[in-house]
Amino acid sequence: MGANRVVAAPRRRDDRAVAWLFLAPVLVGFVVFYVYPTGLGIYYSLTDYGMLAAPNLVGVENYRELVEDDKFWNALKVTGYYVVLNIAVQTVLALGLAVLMHRLTQSVAVRAMLLVPWLVPNVTVGLLWMWMLDANLGFVNHVLGALGLGATGFLTSPAWAMPTIAGINTWAYTGYTALLLYAGMLQVPRYLYESASLDGAGEWRMFTRITLPLLRPVLALVLVVSLIGSFQIFDTIAVTTKGGPVGATRVIYFYIYEQAFANFRMGYASAIAVVLAVLLGVLTAVQMRLLRASRSDLA
Amino acid sequence: MRSTYRRAGALLLCLALTGPLAACAGSDDSADGTTTLDYWLWDDRQLPAYQDCADAFHSANPDITIEITQTAWAQYWQNLTTQLASGDAPDVWTNQNTYYPQFAAKNQLLDVEPLVQRDKVDLAAYQPGLTEVWVKDGKRYGLPKDWDTMAVVVNSEMLGKQGVDPAGLESLTWNPTDGGTFEQVIAKATVDEQGRNGLDPAFDKDHVQVYGFLPEWADGASGQNGWGVLAAANGFTYLDKNPWGTKYRYDDPKLAETISWFKRLIDKGYAPRNDQQSSVANSELLIAGKGAMLITGSWTVLTLTDPKVKQDLRFIPLPTGPAGGRSPINGLSDAIWAGSEHPEEAWKWVRFLASSDCQDRVAQRAVVFPALTGATQKAADAHKAEGRDVHAFIDAAKKDPFLLPVTDHGTEINTVVQDTIQSVILGSTKADAALTEANNKVNALFK
């Protein structure tokens, strides 16, 4: 200790150790349920793992096969089609509903009702619509028939199957999305609307000039989450079309499932899953970037 | 300091990873020397019959208890595979011919041939053909439990209204050119919304009330419930050698002709267009009175003759084609897991399942036709006592039935062939070209 030092500066307490301790449960969960399976998945994607025998390393063989697999490319195409249909329709509808809730009624009953379809399990939703849309026994075709229109195999015609699936999921999720957007709108200060209306702006103008720009970060989050969710479409398809007709709804998740649990090609299925994960990562990054999601204009 | 936490973290991780594994590794043995065998099946209608067998077996062998698990078909195979992968599979399970080759190839099934030899099991007592499906390279992977054949189910009341003579239904003919008397009956059974049948010149094919025939298109690589049966009547055989062939023949023009006939049937309005088909099973449509005929298997007898069904349904033999009128015959077996800790007890149970003691019990309930020829007659009698006429299925089994394909890559072939046939029926591809392409894809799997 030097003589020139008068008082020792109070040592800053180091909280890092405690922080790690509190983080530990989450970290363990993250490692066990995310990092470890991801690592294992990447490893399996380089093997011929078939569940019943020990995996053998085959290098990039699975990925090479993937490039030439027209079913894989078809699955990507079909999934992309679904994502576009679903996100476009769902976001527009949800935005409309959210604005109505925000500007017209703040009724809790209305908000609760919007959530009802989202609360029904997806398998039930799928089965319910499958019966209602059935070409011969379904209620919807019965009504169409009464109106003089011919029967449509909503889930059995290659042209209709995917739009129908997108419609079913839009029905199930729009209310939830609308509620998220509505919550975002509540953050927009009221005085902005008041002064805008004093200046003589109409509802449409207020929507495009105030609501939409200020909603951007929330909208970006909703888009990213529903994009990832849409790519993961599986349950509705598993209970209704099972990938048919002729692969028209064999989306990427269903194809992974088929390879893994019907053909027991776990290695190949893992390779598809890895490609999908990379794809989703890139798409999310691009989207976040384009929408400047981490910054708000309200500050 | 840091490293302590790291070590603690590693320990936690270890616990989290290994805990569940240790927890699931249980033993079936009790301290008192008794054994519990796990037995799996998928058909809920068969569960009571086999529970009966399990109880009888336990009475005769008090030291062995059978625990039956029934899982629906859709989940059965993936559950089984997951259990096999984790090393905790049932000791004995019901096996099926599309799925069993890969279990055999991956050494998951116990070869029972030495046990069959040792205990002198009389294989000749079973329905011909059913035992050999389960043999590969001299190894035997199970004993037969039951069989099923195909027939046509018709709505007698609807056909009666159109003046179809029921006696004539016993010997229908079919060919891929004009469809023979089979197509005539289908045409008569098809009725439009104005009540005109398919032979009426004014028949309106766009407003059909009742379809004469309900074809099945989600039928894998065998077409057991439709196209496969008629293609066989046209002289089509699936592959070079069955079981264990390596060269399929989906490019055979005889198959293309058959599929094209189906397409014409649809174009005439006698069968639902594929893109206007129901998502629900054809049998539901038949029960709902939306169709008059379809090809069905003997496993549906109880469902279709249930007292709750309002339609008057009866079973008639398959039509005879240019190459005869043979039905597919398909059987299930009971297999023993190679990793079972109790192979001797498991074998005892499998032998019991394949014995007349158990198969007669199954026969009495008339759920399926047991594999033992003696028990088959008992099942037929049981059906008769309940007033069900199942002669079409039993006669089919006697008339030189053929085996459905048993090869490697079964599930992958299912997807390829089913997609192709559906695309032909939808009219997006031509039968010859599409089937040839599919056949190349299928055969490439064996290279």
Side-chain angles (χ1 to χ4, degrees), chain B residues 127-208:
Chain B
Q127 191 74 30
L130 293 186
T131 51
E132 295 324 295
V133 179
W134 310 101
V135 177
K136 188 186 188 189
D137 304 330
K139 291 181 174 162
R140 186 178 297 278
Y141 295 115
L143 289 183
K145 71 193 281 126
D146 59 17
W147 56 264
D148 51 71
T149 51
M150 308 302 292
V152 179
V153 55
V154 299
N155 187 321
S156 328
E157 197 190 330
M158 285 181 182
L159 292 190
K161 269 190 203 152
Q162 298 301 325
V164 176
D165 174 19
L169 294 173
E170 289 296 314
S171 51
L172 293 176
T173 61
W174 173 83
N175 65 70
T177 320
D178 65 10
T181 55
F182 187 52
E183 185 172 327
Q184 292 297 307
V185 173
I186 291 173
K188 279 188 195 163
T190 310
V191 180
D192 70 11
E193 283 168 5
Q194 308 299 318
R196 295 172 295 223
N197 78 23
L199 292 179
D200 191 320
F203 170 72
D204 178 3
K205 67 172 189 170
D206 294 320
H207 294 92
V208 176

Side-chain angles (χ1 to χ4, degrees), chain A residues 52, chain B residues 77 80 84 90-91 93-96 99-112 134 139-142 244 333-340:
Chain A
L52 298 182
Chain B
W77 300 103
L80 183 61
L84 285 168
D91 302 279
W93 71 81
T94 308
N95 227 355
Q96 188 261 4
Y99 286 89
Y100 110 86
Q102 61 190 350
F103 296 135
K106 301 274 161 66
N107 304 317
Q108 297 296 321
L109 303 173
L110 188 74
D111 172 18
V112 296
W134 310 101
K139 291 181 174 162
R140 186 178 297 278
Y141 295 115
W244 310 116
S333 77
D334 287 306
I336 303 173
W337 180 36
S340 169

Side-chain angles (χ1 to χ4, degrees), chain B residues 273-284:
Chain B
R273 272 169 47 189
N274 191 261
D275 57 357
Q276 290 179 358
Q277 250 200 298
S278 281
S279 316
V280 300
N282 277 335
S283 55
E284 301 282 346

Side-chain angles (χ1 to χ4, degrees), chain A:
Chain A
M1 193 174 275
N4 54 345
R5 200 180 232 176
V6 184
V7 183
R11 243 185 76 194
R12 253 192 91 222
R13 255 183 64 203
D14 187 356
D15 289 339
R16 277 177 299 180
V18 182
W20 280 113
L21 187 67
F22 280 110
L23 280 175
V26 179
L27 282 180
V28 168
F30 184 70
V31 169
V32 171
F33 294 109
Y34 289 90
V35 178
Y36 173 69
T38 308
L40 206 58
I42 293 172
Y43 165 66
Y44 281 154
S45 76
L46 302 172
T47 68
D48 64 353
Y49 188 41
M51 288 177 85
L52 298 182
N56 299 309
L57 275 174
V58 292
V60 293
E61 193 44 52
N62 286 328
Y63 293 93
R64 202 192 321 251
E65 187 181 336
L66 204 61
V67 175
E68 288 166 11
D69 182 358
D70 44 359
K71 278 215 193 86
F72 166 72
W73 291 109
N74 181 60
L76 268 190
K77 199 178 83 187
V78 166
T79 312
Y81 179 43
Y82 168 79
V83 170
V84 170
L85 277 179
N86 190 49
I87 300 266
V89 178
Q90 185 176 308
T91 311
V92 170
L93 280 179
L95 208 52
L97 280 175
V99 170
L100 287 180
M101 276 195 288
H102 185 219
R103 305 293 298 158
L104 214 59
T105 167
Q106 309 245 336
S107 149
V108 178
V110 170
R111 264 180 276 160
M113 257 161 58
L114 277 177
L115 268 188
V116 170
W118 180 70
L119 292 175
V120 181
N122 271 355
V123 172
T124 315
V125 169
L127 288 175
L128 199 75
W129 281 102
M130 185 176 91
W131 277 95
M132 294 213 299
L133 294 171
D134 190 86
N136 294 288
L137 302 174
F139 173 75
V140 175
N141 273 306
H142 185 73
V143 171
L144 288 179
L147 296 172
L149 298 164
T152 304
F154 286 103
L155 289 162
T156 49
S157 114
W160 275 104
M162 201 42 120
T164 305
I165 300 272
I168 292 173
N169 278 3
T170 302
W171 177 82
Y173 284 104
T174 300
Y176 175 68
T177 312
L179 215 60
L180 289 181
L181 294 175
Y182 169 71
M185 287 175 189
L186 288 182
Q187 291 175 356
V188 179
R190 231 144 234 286
Y191 66 81
L192 288 178
Y193 292 101
E194 278 159 20
S195 51
S197 71
L198 282 178
D199 289 343
E203 279 296 330
W204 175 250
R205 193 131 184 211
M206 285 195 270
F207 173 71
T208 54
R209 295 292 166 90
I210 301 173
T211 314
L212 213 47
L214 292 178
L215 196 63
R216 207 201 55 239
V218 175
L219 198 58
L221 176 84
V222 167
L223 277 177
V224 169
V225 170
S226 45
L227 182 88
I228 295 176
S230 300
F231 263 95
Q232 295 176 341
I233 163 86
F234 176 80
D235 31 22
T236 317
I237 284 170
V239 295
T240 56
T241 60
K242 297 182 179 62
V246 202
T249 60
R250 189 182 285 123
V251 289
I252 196 93
Y253 255 57
F254 198 78
Y255 190 49
I256 293 175
Y257 162 80
E258 270 188 352
Q259 289 293 353
F261 294 104
N263 301 340
F264 305 114
R265 298 192 60 200
M266 202 49 94
Y268 191 55
S270 301
I272 308 174
V274 168
V275 171
L276 180 65
V278 170
L279 195 76
L280 282 180
V282 171
L283 275 177
T284 308
V286 168
Q287 223 177 1
M288 297 289 263
R289 183 89 196 213
L290 285 178
L291 290 163
R292 292 175 295 135
S294 49
R295 268 178 294 155
S296 167
D297 295 333
L298 267 176

